[in-house]
Amino acid sequence: MWCGLQETSTGKEELLNIAFWSEDRGCGTTSSMAAVASVCSNAWNLKTILMQSRHQDGDLWEKIETAPLGMVSEDGMSRALDGLDYLLWQAKNKKLTEAAVLDSMIPVVKERMYYLPQSRYRKPRVYARSLKQGMWQIIRYAQRISDVVFIDCGSGRNELAEIILAKADVVVICLRQGRGSLERYFGKRHAFSGKVIYIVNQYQQESMYNQAYLRRVYRIGDDELGVIPHNSIFRHASDRGRTERFVRRHIRGTSLENQYYFMQELMQTTRLILKNAGIEG
């Protein structure tokens, strides 16, 4: 599946990884990450790799592919032939190589955007044994062959998320625009070693809990808060595996087009994340 990831386009030596995470389920973490990565690849030609830390609701391939490549049907069940599970097995047996990581990547946009699949039916025992060392080895190899690695850590606190979030260069916290969700997170705000960016998904400016409210009440700086506006058309496209196609189609749009406001906010949020990662978008 490898198609030309040898060199990064930024020419930087930094190995960057950006982790997306949310306190609650259903905050749009996976779709937000896929949208941001799509902007990076289509607007600035950055080579991006997308992966998930574990199986979770809203699987990554469902946002960027209508059907998961590298999957087969067996007795009515789908399973991955390779991908993250295979690489973890290799790491456990001390056989992991950069070539294996390259070969496991599936192209979304050739030369620019790839994702690492994982099986729907994992073997928890394998994950427990290879988790700390194997997962990080995979991430490090992915960093070497891309400009940015995006990692979906899902929601809630777990061992795997803790490891990745602790080592991420930028942590993107996805929030719901509601009092309960906001108070649950900010009432016990977590400390991360990397820079932290907040994204409000399904954002509606007319809500009481708009950007001005969040900055004032929760003391969030201008360079720490981004939004992805509510957009039923984008959500429909994302749910059908067309996130990247939607972004590619509308990213050059003019102010006269219906998706202009949404795309401008999405691009501004992406610039904010890249700036905090040390990349000028």
Side-chain angles (χ1 to χ4, degrees):
M1 294 296 182
W2 168 38
C3 298
L5 278 173
Q6 298 101 317
E7 299 179 357
T8 62
S9 59
T10 61
K12 291 189 172 184
E13 294 183 356
E14 291 89 348
L15 304 179
L16 297 175
N17 72 90
I18 298 173
F20 280 63
W21 176 81
S22 62
E23 182 77 42
D24 301 323
R25 294 177 63 184
C27 288
T29 306
T30 305
S31 59
S32 296
M33 187 183 80
V36 167
S38 297
V39 171
C40 289
S41 296
N42 283 286
W44 299 296
N45 293 322
L46 294 176
K47 294 181 180 179
T48 61
I49 290 177
L50 290 74
M51 56 193 296
Q52 287 181 294
S53 63
R54 60 194 177 95
H55 175 70
Q56 56 218 38
D57 292 339
D59 283 288
L60 180 58
W61 64 263
E62 293 177 344
K63 305 301 179 184
I64 55 179
E65 283 288 346
T66 54
L69 299 176
M71 305 285 281
V72 297
S73 177
E74 183 175 303
D75 298 328
M77 299 171 65
S78 293
R79 63 179 179 84
L81 291 175
D82 48 20
L84 180 60
D85 302 278
Y86 173 68
L87 295 177
L88 285 171
W89 179 85
Q90 286 198 317
K92 177 187 174 184
N93 291 279
K94 303 186 185 303
K95 296 180 179 180
L96 183 65
T97 64
E98 184 173 303
V101 176
L102 285 167
D103 289 339
S104 295
M105 296 294 168
I106 293 177
V108 180
V109 179
K110 188 177 179 181
E111 303 289 346
R112 297 202 305 269
M113 186 175 179
Y114 294 74
Y115 79 101
L116 179 62
Q118 62 177 327
S119 69
R120 192 173 281 276
Y121 304 99
R122 286 201 309 250
K123 303 175 180 64
R125 184 173 57 184
V126 174
Y127 264 64
R129 291 177 180 175
S130 62
L131 182 61
K132 293 181 180 179
Q133 294 183 348
M135 189 69 185
W136 194 246
Q137 287 176 9
I138 294 167
I139 292 171
R140 293 293 287 179
Y141 278 130
Q143 288 174 311
R144 294 175 186 174
I145 57 177
S146 66
D147 293 319
V148 187
V149 176
F150 291 95
I151 309 167
D152 177 4
C153 291
S155 60
R157 309 295 288 196
N158 60 79
E159 183 183 14
L160 186 50
E162 294 281 355
I163 294 169
I164 296 172
L165 293 170
K167 295 185 178 183
D169 298 295
V170 177
V171 175
V172 180
I173 308 295
C174 296
L175 302 168
R176 280 201 190 98
Q177 195 177 10
R179 180 177 178 181
S181 177
L182 294 170
E183 290 188 348
R184 269 192 301 278
Y185 176 76
F186 288 105
K188 53 179 180 179
R189 190 183 305 202
H190 306 285
F192 298 102
S193 58
K195 295 180 179 179
V196 176
I197 301 297
Y198 302 97
I199 288 183
V200 180
N201 283 307
Q202 298 291 314
Y203 178 77
Q204 300 187 58
Q205 178 60 32
E206 61 273 18
S207 169
M208 170 183 173
Y209 307 104
N210 57 24
Q211 293 187 69
Y213 176 94
L214 296 177
R215 293 189 177 104
R216 183 179 71 254
V217 173
Y218 299 113
R219 300 184 182 279
I220 303 175
D222 290 344
D223 59 347
E224 298 175 323
L225 180 63
V227 301
I228 298 181
H230 171 75
N231 186 321
S232 58
I233 298 175
F234 167 75
R235 187 170 183 176
H236 179 69
S238 178
D239 289 344
R240 297 183 66 187
R242 298 176 180 174
T243 301
E244 188 279 328
R245 296 184 201 177
F246 178 94
V247 170
R248 176 163 29 100
R249 178 179 180 182
H250 298 291
I251 201 165
R252 312 294 180 192
T254 68
S255 58
L256 299 177
E257 298 183 17
N258 292 334
Q259 302 303 324
Y260 182 76
Y261 165 69
F262 175 84
M263 290 303 304
Q264 288 299 299
E265 291 292 345
L266 175 59
M267 290 184 68
Q268 179 59 32
T269 293
T270 303
R271 287 191 188 95
L272 183 66
I273 293 171
L274 291 180
K275 181 179 180 180
N276 279 272
I279 300 175
E280 291 297 331

